[in-house]
Amino acid sequence: MEIIKSNHYLVKTDIELLGNLFNQLRASGLTDLTKLEAKLVQLHLSSFNDLVKYFSGSECNPQLAVVGEELIDRLRNTVPDREAVLTSSNEVGTYLADKLAGHKQEELWAIYIDNSNHIIAEKCLFKGTIDKSVAHPREIFRWGLIYACAGMFVVHNHPSGNLIPSQSDLKLTRMLDESAAMLQIDFLDHFIVGKSKFLSMREHELF
């Protein structure tokens, strides 16, 4: 596996990565879309979540797994040409659930917006178990001040898919709400996402 990963890191461009993927599919006999579709049906892969699980599982060829996971990571990090404008909790929640889909480790992100609800920046600030000793408001608002944002959301994922907030989640949210009031930055919501679902703490009146 180390050799595979070593070779994998030699892939420098998106087109090389796609070429690697297509070569592996052809070597497996999947030479057209009809055959690929039949293979997906055979493997019971009907969603991107299924695909992520397949790449991570023991049934997937190790070389294909490395290329597949790298491709998914690059797609997640692709920046669209259009400016994202967020106008409702449902729109924000869907956007964030898609953004963190398939992430296996808990992460906390801050989304900074301007007065017109355009996204100024998105920052992954913490990874691992999110609690008050790790995720501190000063780091979250430090970037808000750097970007001179008008408002912000925070979001963290529960890889298990359980959207019930923990006591640490609730305490952090209250701390953020109090800090935002002092700094005159709109703290709009704290979302928990998992397995393509989301919970808005604001809509559930949890702060």
Side-chain angles (χ1 to χ4, degrees):
M1 191 63 178
E2 290 301 317
I3 295 174
I4 294 168
K5 287 188 175 180
S6 176
N7 289 338
H8 168 63
Y9 286 123
L10 294 176
V11 176
K12 299 296 185 183
T13 67
D14 293 344
I15 194 66
E16 287 175 316
L17 182 65
L18 287 171
N20 193 336
L21 175 63
F22 295 153
N23 287 336
Q24 291 193 45
L25 292 176
R26 279 195 295 268
S28 300
L30 303 176
T31 54
D32 57 49
L33 291 177
T34 301
K35 291 180 180 178
L36 178 59
E37 182 181 11
K39 187 65 173 180
L40 293 174
V41 171
Q42 179 190 340
L43 294 172
H44 306 291
L45 303 178
S46 58
S47 69
F48 285 112
N49 280 335
D50 292 340
L51 195 59
V52 170
K53 289 177 183 176
Y54 176 70
F55 286 145
S56 303
S58 58
E59 293 182 13
C60 184
N61 175 289
Q63 291 181 322
L64 180 60
V66 171
V67 174
E69 292 210 15
E70 174 65 15
L71 181 62
I72 288 172
D73 282 342
R74 292 197 189 189
L75 288 171
R76 286 194 192 107
N77 293 323
T78 298
V79 178
D81 291 334
R82 66 183 183 281
E83 287 187 286
V85 182
L86 305 174
T87 58
S88 69
S89 291
N90 184 65
E91 193 173 63
V92 176
T94 300
Y95 172 80
L96 296 174
D98 288 344
K99 183 177 185 64
L100 293 177
H103 287 212
K104 301 177 182 66
Q105 188 177 22
E106 195 166 330
E107 301 176 7
L108 186 141
W109 287 68
I111 314 297
Y112 303 99
I113 62 172
D114 63 16
N115 282 315
S116 301
N117 293 330
H118 291 83
I119 293 178
I120 300 172
E122 307 176 17
K123 295 287 292 185
C124 179
L125 297 172
F126 305 100
K127 289 187 178 183
T129 302
I130 306 300
D131 59 38
K132 61 179 174 51
S133 65
V134 177
H136 196 282
R138 63 172 168 259
E139 181 68 11
I140 296 170
F141 284 104
R142 180 171 78 89
W143 287 101
L145 294 172
I146 289 171
Y147 293 125
C149 71
M152 55 172 284
F153 303 89
V154 296
V155 55
H156 77 278
N157 61 316
H158 286 177
S160 66
N162 179 4
L163 301 183
I164 298 174
S166 67
Q167 288 302 310
S168 292
D169 295 338
L170 295 170
K171 186 167 186 176
L172 174 62
T173 304
R174 288 192 291 269
M175 291 170 65
L176 292 173
D177 194 38
E178 292 168 3
S179 300
M182 289 189 289
L183 293 170
Q184 297 185 333
I185 294 174
D186 287 335
F187 176 53
L188 300 168
D189 212 335
H190 184 173
F191 289 87
I192 299 175
V193 302
K195 295 190 174 178
S196 301
K197 298 179 292 184
F198 67 87
L199 177 140
S200 160
M201 289 198 188
R202 175 73 72 183
E203 287 199 345
H204 284 77
E205 300 182 348
L206 296 176
F207 69 98

